[in-house]
Amino acid sequence: MSESATTREQTPTEAESSYFNSYPPPKALKNHEALAKAFIEYHVEANRRVVLVTSGGTTVPLENQTVRFIDNFSAGTRGATSAEYFLEAGYAVIFLHRQFSLLPYSRHYSHSTNCFLDFMDEAPSDSTSDQGSIVVRSEYQDAMRNVLRKYRYAKENNLLLLLPFVTVTEYMFELRSLANLMKPLGSNALFYLAAAVSDFFIPRHRMAEHKIQSSEVPVSDSDVYTGYNEDQPSHRSKKLIIDLDPVPKFLHRLVDGWAPHGSMIVSFKLETDPNLLVYKARTSLQRYSHHLVIGNLLSTRKWEVVFVTPDPPFERWIRVPKSKRSKSISGAKAQVGLAEGKKLDEEEESHTQDESSSDKEGIEIESLIVPELVKMHTQMIEKARQNTQ
C-alpha cells in the first residue's frame, strides 16, 4: 500500500520548497545578492578563498506585525572574532550577522565594559576657538591604532562584506542565496556556521497578525494563546502558551544542493551537559554529512572546543592554556575537560597550545580554531585539485 500524501515525510527538496514558498523574501535580499555577487566575482578573479561566517542569534517572531519575539543569548562573539582571524589568514569574509550583534574590529569597543566615549578626549583648544579636537586618550592609542589599521585594510581591499539579518526566516533566505552565489568559488569556499539558529518557530499561517493582547481581568484555562492564528483570538488572556514547530534542518540541502562542489562546511554544536556534547556533535556530523562539527560547552566555550570529524582522529580537543585564559563572567573553569571525560591538570593543559602563542596575554580561542581550519581547508583544496588532474 502506498503512503498517504498527507502522512509521508517530505523529501528535503519538498521541505525546502514548502518552507520558502510560505514566506515573502526579505526586503533587503535583492540588495544583499547584488553586493555579494560583485564581492564574490571580485575574489574569484583574484583566486582568493572566501569564507561565509554566520554570526549572532536569530529571532522567532510571535506576531506578523512583530512586537514580541523569542531570542537567545548569542551576541556574535565567536563569529566576529573568528572573522578577524580569517582575514589575517588571507581570506575574504562575507559576514552574515544578526543586526546590532558584534562586528569584526568594532567589537573591541562596542561591547567593552567601558562606554565608547571613555576612550575619547578633547584636545586643548587654541586661542582662536573654544572647540578642541576630539582625540583618542593616550593610553588607548596603540591598541586602537592597531585595530583601525586592520579594519581599514580589510575595507580598502574589499575583503569584508557585512550583511545583516534579524529573524530565523531571513537567515535561511540569506544562507540559501549566498551559498548558491558562491558556486563559482568551488573548493575555495568555506562555510563557518557560527550563528545560533533557532530550533523552533511559529509557521507564518499560524502567527497572530497583531500584537498579542493581555489584560488584568482573570481568565479561564481556555483563554490562552497557543501560537495559532484563530478566527477570534482572545483579548483578555493573561496566559501565553506557544505551540512551536521545529525549524526545518537545511544543512543537508546546503551540502547537497546549495554550496559549491568541493567547498568546506563547518557547523557548531553548543550544549550545556558535558555528557552529551561529543555524542550530539557526532550525531550532527553523521546526519548532515558535512566536514567538521565544532562542539563547545556553554560553561567552557571561551577556553576549549572539540573538533569532530568523519576521519581519524575523529575527536580532537583545542584548549587555551590555563595561564592564558581570559576571564569570563558566565564561564566555569573547573569544568574544562569534563566533556572529554577527564579532569586535566596544569601540566597536561600546557601541551594543548603551540609554543608560538605562549607569549600572548588573554589568548582568544578563535586564534587557535581558525589556523586549524585553514590547514584542513588547504588539504581539501589540494585534494580537489589532484582529483581534477
Side-chain angles (χ1 to χ4, degrees), residues 168-219:
V168 63
T169 302
E170 289 174 355
Y171 171 83
M172 292 298 184
F173 269 96
E174 296 276 0
L175 178 62
R176 181 177 69 160
S177 178
L178 291 170
N180 279 290
L181 287 170
M182 290 172 70
K183 278 188 165 63
L185 289 161
S187 60
N188 274 348
L190 171 60
F191 293 81
Y192 185 81
L193 307 178
V197 183
S198 305
D199 290 318
F200 301 96
F201 79 124
I202 299 177
R204 189 165 182 260
H205 69 277
R206 287 194 358 230
M207 202 181 300
E209 178 63 26
H210 299 287
K211 175 187 173 184
I212 302 166
Q213 297 298 309
S214 61
S215 172
E216 297 301 323
V217 179
V219 296

Side-chain angles (χ1 to χ4, degrees), residues 61-70 209-212:
L62 301 186
E63 307 113 340
N64 278 319
Q65 298 188 51
T66 306
V67 175
R68 298 181 177 90
F69 56 85
I70 301 171
E209 178 63 26
H210 299 287
K211 175 187 173 184
I212 302 166

Side-chain angles (χ1 to χ4, degrees), residues 13-31:
T13 302
E14 290 171 339
E16 176 187 351
S17 178
S18 176
Y19 180 84
F20 287 102
N21 287 337
S22 299
Y23 294 90
K27 293 179 180 179
L29 185 62
K30 285 189 176 181
N31 181 49

Side-chain angles (χ1 to χ4, degrees), residues 192-310:
Y192 185 81
L193 307 178
V197 183
S198 305
D199 290 318
F200 301 96
F201 79 124
I202 299 177
R204 189 165 182 260
H205 69 277
R206 287 194 358 230
M207 202 181 300
E209 178 63 26
H210 299 287
K211 175 187 173 184
I212 302 166
Q213 297 298 309
S214 61
S215 172
E216 297 301 323
V217 179
V219 296
S220 66
D221 290 340
S222 61
D223 225 358
V224 296
Y225 173 71
T226 60
Y228 287 86
N229 194 6
E230 301 162 348
D231 292 336
Q232 294 182 331
S234 169
H235 295 284
R236 300 190 303 118
S237 176
K238 289 178 64 178
K239 294 183 180 180
L240 181 60
I241 301 174
I242 304 170
D243 188 3
L244 301 171
D245 283 5
V247 173
K249 300 295 186 182
F250 289 123
L251 270 178
H252 261 311
R253 295 294 298 139
L254 178 64
V255 173
D256 296 334
W258 303 348
H261 179 70
S263 59
M264 182 176 181
I265 299 174
V266 180
S267 69
F268 283 78
K269 175 61 69 173
L270 175 73
E271 293 294 337
T272 59
D273 185 345
N275 298 316
L276 288 178
L277 179 62
V278 174
Y279 168 77
K280 293 295 288 290
R282 185 169 290 119
T283 299
S284 181
L285 183 77
Q286 294 170 349
R287 179 176 297 161
Y288 301 116
S289 302
H290 45 295
H291 306 100
L292 170 67
V293 173
I294 300 179
N296 51 159
L297 201 63
L298 179 65
S299 58
T300 63
R301 68 190 186 280
K302 295 183 183 296
W303 309 309
E304 66 174 356
V305 298
V306 59
F307 279 21
V308 177
T309 60

